[in-house]
């Protein structure tokens, strides 16, 4: 610890101007991740969390965080704020506060919620990290959670007529499936290309699950499920993702009928992200505090950024957000980044981003993505960090990039440095 502290001081006094060497330096004021866990991802409406409400899911996740903190001798009172990323529940701020108190955090620990649709989990991480960077808090917890069984993100009613008379504002009401078909049609991404991409996601998830790679990132959760016929309740331990479908091929996906026939014929239930319930949690603090408290440093959070695009083609958001983030840190996407977690909201947008950014597919979504694993809206931004850092550790790689498209026409991207080599 003493040598690491000395190294941090020296690096802080002699900062580097070069992009890669700058972000890999270790300074006392760095915001670092000391804990990154997630629940298994369960099928919406029929999976292991179908009878677990968002409040209980958040509570169960937070109890696991407390258990992990106890193992590293970190008192829960050290956590000064908790931010919950969630999309579909307007009571999320109530939920995170009550659940944190029930889970063992003191009443001195604050709580809030945030919602930037599919990036909400990453937005929660950014919110906590920014507070730490500004000196508002020393330690905070970001959590992303979603029960898609309980609710989606559709608008209950149209916007005011003064809003919808502006075409782009009106486009914000387009269903996500429609925006996927827009991307496929506008950029000539064929059904076959989308099915091929989706099949690869399933193949990778199957390989990762069979090899036990997910065991490093998943924390088993005990919950209750109810038999839909008898009403009988029983305790279950969920320990693996339910989304992977072994043996999936492009040919079998090609037989699935279009999911959004009113808008096009390319997006299907097989090449789109799954409706999923799940959660993930990221504990952050300054490097100096982590060293002081003798906490394991998993990674450094470098930063995140957001970018807007036309709402009707919201899926292309990462193709704008990623270059923006790379330019902020003076990095080359293909030379400097080792592992990429790109959310597969739809195969249309994943294929588009892969092609336009010229990403080496061998380092993107190595364990499969949302098509095979699922996309619990508020959780995904945090889940990607947990998965990506686990893969970095497995491969002994350093630089992780996460990104996702966002409903209403946005993209977000985050940058991390793995320190568990």
């Amino acid at each position: 610890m003493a040598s690491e502290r000395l190294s941090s001081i020296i690096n802080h006094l002699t900062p580097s101007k070069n992009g890669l060497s700058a972000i890999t330096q270790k300074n006392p004021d760095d915001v670092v991740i000391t804990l990154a866990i997630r629940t298994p991802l369960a099928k919406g409406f029929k999976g292991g969390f179908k009878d677990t409400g968002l409040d209980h899911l958040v509570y169960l996740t937070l109890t696991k965080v407390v258990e992990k903190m106890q193992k590293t001798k970190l008192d829960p009172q050290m956590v000064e704020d908790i931010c919950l990323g969630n999309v579909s529940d307007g009571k999320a701020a109530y939920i995170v506060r009550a659940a944190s108190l029930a889970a063992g955090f003191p009443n001195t620990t604050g709580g809030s919620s945030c919602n930037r649709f599919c990036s909400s989990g990453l937005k929660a991480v950014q919110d906590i990290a920014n507070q730490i960077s500004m000196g508002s808090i020393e330690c905070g917890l970001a959590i992303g959670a979603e029960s898609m069984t309980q609710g989606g993100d559709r608008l209950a009613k149209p916007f005011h007529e003064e809003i919808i008379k502006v075409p782009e504002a009106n486009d914000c009401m387009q269903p996500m499936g429609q925006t996927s078909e827009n991307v496929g049609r506008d950029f000539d991404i064929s059904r076959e290309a989308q099915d091929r991409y989706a099949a690869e996601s399933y193949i990778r998830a199957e390989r990762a699950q069979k090899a036990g790679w997910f065991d490093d990132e998943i924390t088993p959760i005990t919950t209750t499920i109810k038999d839909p016929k008898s009403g009988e309740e029983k305790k279950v331990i969920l320990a693996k993702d339910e989304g992977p479908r072994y043996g999936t091929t492009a040919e079998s996906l090609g037989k699935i009928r279009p999911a959004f026939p009113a808008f096009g014929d390319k997006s299907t239930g097989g090449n789109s992200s799954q409706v999923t319930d799940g959660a993930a949690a990221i504990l952050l603090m300054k490097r100096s505090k982590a060293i002081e408290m003798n906490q394991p440093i998993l990674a450094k959070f470098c930063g995140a950024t957001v970018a807007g695009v036309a709402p009707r083609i919201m899926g292309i958001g990462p193709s704008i957000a990623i270059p923006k983030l790379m330019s902020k840190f003076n990095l080359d996407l293909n030379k400097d980044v080792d592992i990429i977690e790109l959310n597969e909201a739809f195969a249309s947008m994943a294929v588009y981003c892969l092609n336009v950014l010229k990403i080496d597919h061998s380092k993107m979504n190595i364990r499969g993505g949302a098509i095979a694993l699922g996309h619990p809206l508020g959780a995904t931004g945090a889940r990607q960090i947990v998965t990506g850092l686990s893969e970095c550790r497995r491969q002994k790689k350093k630089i992780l990039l996460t990104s996702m498209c966002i409903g209403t026409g946005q993209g977000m991207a985050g940058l991390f440095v793995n320190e568990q080599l």
Side-chain angles (χ1 to χ4, degrees):
M1 284 298 180
S3 61
E4 185 173 350
R5 189 179 295 111
L6 178 60
S7 177
S8 295
I9 294 171
I10 293 172
N11 286 334
H12 191 61
L13 293 173
T14 56
S16 170
K17 299 296 184 182
N18 181 271
L20 191 58
S21 60
I23 66 168
T24 53
Q25 283 188 349
K26 296 179 180 180
N27 300 310
D29 289 338
D30 292 339
V31 176
V32 298
I33 295 170
T34 60
L35 177 67
I37 62 171
R38 71 173 178 92
T39 72
L41 302 183
K43 289 180 176 293
F45 302 101
K46 57 184 179 181
F49 286 133
K50 69 181 180 67
D51 301 307
T52 303
L54 178 67
D55 57 345
H56 197 203
L57 179 61
V58 172
Y59 164 76
L60 292 171
T61 305
L62 290 174
T63 59
K64 293 299 181 181
V65 171
V66 171
E67 288 177 12
K68 298 285 187 181
M69 290 173 60
Q70 289 172 341
K71 290 182 179 179
T72 61
K73 295 181 171 53
L74 185 67
D75 194 315
Q77 70 177 357
M78 295 300 299
V79 178
E80 296 174 72
D81 200 11
I82 301 174
C83 184
L84 167 64
N86 174 264
V87 176
S88 61
D89 198 318
K91 301 182 293 298
Y94 285 105
I95 288 171
V96 68
R97 176 62 173 163
S100 65
L101 292 170
F105 289 94
N107 60 19
T108 53
T109 300
S112 69
S113 64
C114 69
N115 179 3
R116 199 198 291 274
F117 301 110
C118 302
S119 70
S120 298
L122 177 58
K123 182 71 171 68
V125 170
Q126 184 187 48
D127 179 274
I128 293 296
N130 286 348
Q131 289 192 72
I132 295 170
S133 292
M134 293 300 294
S136 299
I137 62 174
E138 289 189 309
C139 175
L141 178 69
I143 178 172
E146 200 77 42
S147 171
M148 294 188 74
T149 296
Q150 285 190 334
D153 61 342
R154 293 291 296 274
L155 286 170
K157 61 181 181 179
F159 295 127
H160 189 277
E161 61 183 17
E162 289 295 313
I163 295 176
I164 62 176
K165 70 181 183 182
V166 178
E168 278 209 327
N170 188 49
D171 286 344
C172 288
M173 295 194 301
Q174 288 193 16
M176 294 300 96
Q178 182 176 357
T179 69
S180 176
E181 291 291 1
N182 291 343
V183 170
R185 181 173 54 254
D186 288 10
F187 302 106
D188 194 27
I189 302 169
S190 69
R191 165 71 187 270
E192 291 72 25
Q194 295 185 43
D195 286 343
R196 284 195 302 271
Y197 179 90
E200 181 62 22
S201 184
Y202 279 108
I203 290 168
R204 293 181 179 198
E206 177 180 347
R207 177 186 64 197
Q209 194 169 64
K210 287 180 175 178
W213 296 350
F214 292 121
D215 297 347
D216 177 60
E217 54 180 285
I218 293 175
T219 296
I221 300 289
T222 300
T223 189
T224 303
I225 60 170
K226 183 184 297 185
D227 186 288
K229 294 182 179 179
S230 68
E232 179 185 355
E233 294 186 350
K234 66 176 181 179
K235 292 282 187 182
V236 294
I237 299 175
L238 306 182
K240 62 184 291 187
D241 296 324
E242 299 173 355
R245 301 167 185 161
Y246 292 2
T248 297
T249 65
E251 290 71 28
S252 64
L253 292 174
K255 298 175 183 177
I256 301 175
R257 66 179 184 272
F260 315 104
F263 308 119
D265 60 1
K266 296 180 177 67
S267 294
T268 74
N271 63 29
S272 304
S273 59
Q274 298 181 37
V275 174
T276 310
D277 304 327
I282 311 289
L283 185 64
L284 303 108
M285 62 186 72
K286 279 193 176 181
R287 184 184 299 278
S288 56
K289 176 59 67 172
I291 293 172
E292 176 190 338
M293 303 302 295
N294 198 30
Q295 295 299 298
I297 296 176
L298 303 184
K300 172 183 174 179
F301 172 70
C302 301
T305 194
V306 67
V309 297
R312 64 177 299 279
I313 50 172
M314 68 93 202
I316 73 167
S319 71
I320 308 300
I322 290 174
K324 181 179 177 182
L325 185 67
M326 293 294 95
S327 67
K328 287 183 179 297
F329 289 95
N330 192 27
L331 297 175
D332 184 296
L333 175 61
N334 290 307
K335 291 181 180 178
D336 298 328
V337 176
D338 298 313
I339 304 292
I340 299 170
E341 282 287 321
L342 181 82
N343 189 43
E344 300 168 349
F346 299 94
S348 59
M349 55 75 54
V351 172
Y352 175 88
C353 293
L354 191 67
N355 292 341
V356 168
L357 295 174
K358 296 179 172 56
I359 295 172
D360 178 353
H361 198 183
S362 68
K363 64 181 182 182
M364 185 181 100
N365 297 356
I366 296 162
R367 302 182 180 188
I371 290 172
L373 300 174
H375 175 26
L377 306 176
T380 290
R383 195 280 301 170
Q384 288 181 306
I385 299 168
V386 179
T387 301
L389 290 179
S390 178
E391 182 60 25
C392 282
R393 291 192 294 271
R394 188 186 74 84
Q395 290 196 39
K396 301 190 185 310
K397 298 292 187 180
K398 273 193 173 184
I399 311 302
L400 168 67
L401 170 74
T402 68
S403 187
M404 68 289 292
C405 58
I406 304 168
T408 70
Q410 302 172 71
M412 194 169 183
L415 186 66
F416 308 83
V417 179
N418 168 45
E419 295 192 9
Q420 294 287 310
L421 296 172

